[in-house]
Amino acid sequence: MYGISSHGGPYVPIRAVKVPAVRDGRDFRGRCSLARCGFRRDPGRVTENRPFAAVRETHIGVVFLVGDRVYKLKKPVDMGFLDFSTPELRREACGREVALNRRLAPDVYLGVAQLSDVDDTPGESLVVMRRMPDDRRLSTLVRSSAPVRDAIGRLARVIAAFHTTAERGPHVDVEGTREALAGRWEASFAQVESVGGGVLDPDLLAEIEHRTRDFLAGRETLFQSRIDDGRVVDGHGDLIADDIFVLDDGPRVLDCLEFADRLRRLDGLDDIAFLAMDLERLGAPELGELLLDRYAEHTADPAPASLRAHYIAYRAFVRVKVACLRHAQGDASAADEARLYADIAVRHLRRGAVRLVLVGGLPGSGKTTIGGLLADRLGAVLLSSDRLRKELAGLDPGHHANAAYRDGIYTREHTTRTYAELLRRAGELLARGESVVLDASWSAEAERLLARDVAKRTSSGLVELRCAAPTAVTEARLRGRTGSLSDADPAIAQAMAAAADPWPDAVAVDTSDTPASALAEATRLVLG
C-alpha cells in the first residue's frame, strides 16, 4: 500500500498500520473510532489529488493525513540541533510547535493529542491540525500562474502585523547583530565547502563569500540601527510558499521553525525575505518584490535596498547548503537545485553591493546632470558639492554667489570644509547600507584620497568617473544654462582646468552626446 504525497511525490511504503486511539486537541487515553474523532467519509472530497488517508515521512517525523485532519508524530531522534529522544521531549516539542504556530494560524493548529495503545498504555504525543486544501497552496498557485497579487498584499499585511506584536528583547536582539549573521554565513560557507565539491563553480562560490564579507564588514551601524529600532523579532524563521495556503478568508501560514529559538529570532526583513526568495525561485520575482514593498509600507521600514538584497541572498544560500548536503547524501538532482539557489544569491549580492561613486569634471562637463541620473538609476543617495557649499555658508542653494576664482565661498578653506562634510555624510550613509553618488569637481588629489579612505573604511566599492566634453561644448553650456546651482563661468572653468591635479584613476565618460548615452556608459562602468 502506498500513500500519495500532498507535495506531489511518493510517500514511503506503508506495510502495516496500527491505528491507536486519538482525540483532537487534548490528552486522551482510551479507544475511539474515526467517526468519534470527527472524521466523516465524504466521497465528494476524496479525489485522486486528495486521498482520504496518506502518510508522509521526513527525517525527523511522520505525518498522517486522515480526512480533514493532520497528525504529526516526532521521531525519537537526537540530531544535535534538535532532541526528540524521549517521550517527554517529544511531548514538549509538540506543545511548543502548536503554541508558536498558533501565532499565525490559530484555527489550524488544534492542539496536542495523546496516543494510547490497545492496552491503554500511554503512547506518543502528536500535533493535531486542520488539513489544508492542496490546490490553495501558494506554491501551487504561483506555478500555475494563478492571479495571486491580492493574496500577496494580504500576506504582507499579515506578516507585518505578526512582526509588530512578536516577542522582542535583548535575548532576541543578540541574534540580529552583524556578528550573529556573519557567523551563520560562515557556518554555511564551511558546510558547502566540505560537501559541495563538484556542485558549485569555485569562482562563483568565492565571489559569494567575498561579496558577503564586504557587505558585512562595513555595516555595523546598519545592523545596530535595526536593533535600536526594534526590527529584530521572534518571527517565523522558515517562510516558504509550500507552507502557505491562500484561503478565501485570508492566508494561513504554517510550520514555523520551532525547534531552534535562535534561528527564529531575526530581523523581520530577513524573515519575509525568505518568502520573497522562494517566490523568485518559483519564477515570480515580481511577486517577491511586491511582497517586500507592501511589507515595508505596512511596517514603515526604512531598510536600504542593499539590506533587502542581502537577506534574499542569505536565504538563497541557506538553500544552497541544504541542497549540497542532500547531494552529498546521494540525491543527484540536488546539484541543479544548489546551482539555481547560488545564482539567486550572487545576483542579489551584486545588486546589493554598497558603492561610493565619484562623478567629477570641470564646470559644464555635465557631471551634475549625469550624477543625478546615475543616482536615480542606482537607487543611490545623491550629494552635491554645489548645494552643500551654499548650505554651509548659510545661503539658499538657488542663490548665486558669483565670485572670482578661489574667492568668496570658493576659497581653499571653504572648499576643504565642503569636501570634508560631503565625505562625512557619505560615510554615514555607506555605513547604513546606502550607496552614494558624489557630484563635485574632484579636481584635487587630496580630496580623492579622502574619498578612497571613506570607501575603504566602510568596505564599499569605489568608482571614479570623470565627465568630459570638448571645450566648445562646455563653454556653450556654461553660457546658456539656467537654474544651475553652480556659479562657474568659462573663465573660472579655464582656471580650474589649469590648476587641476591629474586624475589617472578615473574613467572618462563622454558627455558630448545625449544625457541618455552618457548615463548608459556611466551605468555600465559602475555595474560592470
Side-chain angles (χ1 to χ4, degrees):
M1 175 179 177
Y2 290 81
I4 300 175
S5 167
S6 61
H7 292 271
Y11 283 126
V12 297
I14 307 170
R15 301 192 180 279
V17 178
K18 178 190 293 184
V19 182
V22 177
R23 187 158 185 167
D24 293 350
R26 62 183 70 85
D27 288 346
F28 176 76
R29 295 176 61 185
R31 303 177 65 184
C32 70
S33 68
L34 290 177
R36 286 176 56 194
C37 288
F39 302 129
R40 297 289 189 272
R41 183 178 295 276
D42 181 353
R45 301 187 68 179
V46 180
T47 67
E48 182 180 354
N49 294 323
R50 184 185 173 92
F52 182 79
V55 179
R56 182 187 179 195
E57 185 172 358
T58 72
H59 61 298
I60 62 173
V62 182
V63 179
F64 301 92
L65 300 96
V66 186
D68 290 332
R69 292 288 184 267
V70 175
Y71 294 90
K72 298 176 67 174
L73 177 74
K74 310 290 186 186
K75 288 183 177 179
V77 295
D78 182 353
M79 307 189 72
F81 62 91
L82 58 80
D83 184 0
F84 297 157
S85 58
T86 69
E88 293 75 21
L89 288 172
R90 293 193 289 279
R91 182 169 59 250
E92 180 182 350
C94 287
R96 185 83 168 143
E97 179 175 349
V98 169
L100 288 169
N101 280 291
R102 276 179 172 172
R103 297 176 302 167
L104 276 166
D107 62 337
V108 176
Y109 286 80
L110 302 178
V112 179
Q114 188 74 26
L115 290 176
S116 62
D117 211 334
V118 291
D119 59 359
D120 237 13
T121 303
E124 290 293 332
S125 301
L126 302 95
V127 172
V128 184
M129 302 168 58
R130 284 175 55 205
R131 189 174 178 180
M132 294 288 98
D134 282 338
D135 59 348
R136 302 308 298 169
R137 198 182 296 273
L138 179 58
S139 56
T140 300
L141 296 173
V142 172
R143 287 191 180 98
S144 64
S145 300
V148 294
R149 289 182 62 86
D150 288 347
I152 292 294
R154 295 181 73 178
L155 182 59
R157 186 169 64 250
V158 166
I159 299 300
F162 166 58
H163 286 163
T164 299
T165 59
E167 182 182 358
R168 290 168 169 79
H171 63 297
V172 176
D173 290 341
V174 69
E175 300 299 339
T177 63
R178 180 186 63 173
E179 291 72 20
L181 178 59
R184 293 193 289 273
W185 269 108
E186 294 298 335
S188 292
F189 291 151
Q191 287 179 292
V192 169
E193 288 169 0
S194 67
V195 301
V199 176
L200 297 181
D201 180 346
D203 291 339
L204 179 63
L205 181 57
E207 181 182 354
I208 290 174
E209 294 183 8
H210 171 73
R211 288 185 179 275
T212 295
R213 291 166 181 151
D214 272 358
F215 180 84
L216 293 173
R219 251 46 67 188
E220 183 174 3
T221 299
L222 170 61
F223 287 98
Q224 186 58 51
S225 71
R226 302 292 292 178
I227 293 172
D228 293 343
D229 292 345
R231 299 288 176 183
V232 181
V233 300
D234 188 323
H236 185 282
D238 197 24
L239 284 169
I240 59 174
D242 270 351
D243 294 333
I244 296 172
F245 295 83
V246 179
L247 306 185
D248 291 342
D249 60 346
R252 299 298 191 277
V253 181
L254 312 185
D255 287 346
C256 79
L257 203 160
E258 85 283 350
F259 56 79
D261 288 349
R262 69 180 189 85
L263 297 180
R264 203 180 54 251
R265 294 167 178 168
L266 70 182
D267 191 312
L269 181 59
D270 181 1
D271 206 11
I272 200 164
F274 201 159
L275 180 55
M277 183 279 298
D278 201 38
L279 290 168
E280 182 169 343
R281 188 263 311 179
L282 291 169
E286 72 286 354
L287 293 179
E289 289 292 324
L290 175 64
L291 177 75
L292 294 176
D293 287 345
R294 294 292 180 266
Y295 176 82
E297 291 172 4
H298 293 309
T299 57
D301 190 346
S306 65
L307 186 62
R308 176 189 289 197
H310 188 84
Y311 279 138
I312 292 175
Y314 167 66
R315 288 302 178 175
F317 199 78
V318 168
R319 304 308 298 176
V320 170
K321 174 182 67 177
V322 172
C324 285
L325 289 169
R326 285 173 39 219
H327 182 267
Q329 294 167 355
D331 183 353
S333 66
D336 287 340
E337 186 176 315
R339 296 183 192 107
L340 169 65
Y341 283 117
D343 286 343
I344 294 175
V346 77
R347 185 163 61 247
H348 283 278
L349 287 170
R350 290 168 181 166
R351 184 180 302 170
V354 180
R355 300 177 177 89
L356 177 62
V357 184
L358 311 186
V359 181
L362 296 171
S365 64
K367 61 181 176 57
T368 297
T369 297
I370 299 306
L373 293 172
L374 184 60
D376 289 343
R377 176 66 59 85
L378 299 176
V381 177
L382 174 67
L383 298 177
S384 170
S385 63
D386 287 332
R387 178 177 293 276
L388 182 56
R389 184 186 297 271
K390 292 181 180 179
E391 177 188 322
L392 294 175
L395 300 175
D396 183 278
H399 173 78
H400 283 290
N402 302 81
Y405 179 57
R406 289 183 177 171
D407 200 0
I409 65 171
Y410 295 93
T411 63
R412 287 184 181 273
E413 179 182 10
H414 200 82
T415 295
T416 298
R417 182 186 174 200
T418 298
Y419 276 87
E421 178 63 13
L422 193 71
L423 291 168
R424 185 194 69 78
R425 296 185 185 186
E428 288 187 352
L429 289 164
L430 293 166
R432 290 180 173 273
E434 299 282 4
S435 288
V436 180
V437 173
L438 296 181
D439 159 33
S441 66
W442 298 105
S443 55
E445 176 65 10
E447 293 152 358
R448 299 175 215 142
L449 288 173
L450 292 175
R452 291 166 195 154
D453 181 66
V454 168
K456 182 178 180 180
R457 179 160 35 88
T458 59
S459 295
S460 304
L462 177 66
V463 180
E464 302 177 40
L465 304 178
R466 179 177 59 82
C467 294
T471 301
V473 173
T474 61
E475 289 187 354
R477 288 173 179 168
L478 290 173
R479 292 191 180 96
R481 67 184 178 184
T482 59
S484 172
L485 301 184
S486 174
D487 298 315
D489 57 22
I492 290 176
Q494 291 177 9
M496 289 178 64
D501 294 330
W503 194 0
D505 294 321
V507 180
V509 177
D510 183 1
T511 65
S512 59
D513 201 350
T514 64
S517 64
L519 172 63
E521 176 63 8
T523 302
R524 184 189 66 80
L525 292 169
V526 172
L527 299 181

